[in-house]
Amino acid sequence: WSDDIVARYAIALRVDAAAAKRDPQILADLVELAARDDDPTAHAARIVVASWGAAALPVIEEQLSQTTRPELVGRLRRLRARIAPP
């Protein structure tokens, strides 16, 4: 089901990127999906990096502050590093 959600969000961004980017739930969902995927180059992560870039950092930081699961923390940190290398 997550692949379907990512595909729908990708379509929304292609149809009307400005409107899709104004919906905060889309970015939050994509960051969460990117954190759950063990492939750091997966579609959700690529969309976050390509479509939001640095604008995604506050959402990534928020999700980092809300999780204690090591695998999710690691994936969120890697996503953050793709956008803003240390």
Side-chain angles (χ1 to χ4, degrees):
W1 63 267
S2 63
D3 289 339
D4 186 47
I5 292 170
V6 173
R8 287 175 188 252
Y9 285 158
I11 291 168
L13 284 160
R14 279 194 302 273
V15 170
D16 190 346
K21 289 180 181 181
R22 284 192 302 270
D23 182 344
Q25 192 60 51
I26 292 176
L27 177 56
D29 288 350
L30 287 170
V31 169
E32 182 177 344
L33 290 166
R36 294 178 183 277
D37 196 329
D38 60 358
D39 178 0
T41 63
H43 198 193
R46 285 195 316 267
I47 293 172
V48 170
V49 172
S51 297
W52 278 271
L57 293 173
V59 174
I60 295 168
E61 293 299 332
E62 179 182 345
Q63 289 192 21
L64 272 167
S65 73
Q66 295 175 1
T67 188
T68 57
R69 292 178 50 193
E71 69 277 10
L72 297 181
V73 169
R75 292 175 191 144
L76 287 166
R77 286 180 178 162
R78 284 190 295 279
L79 178 59
R80 179 180 62 192
R82 285 180 64 190
I83 295 168

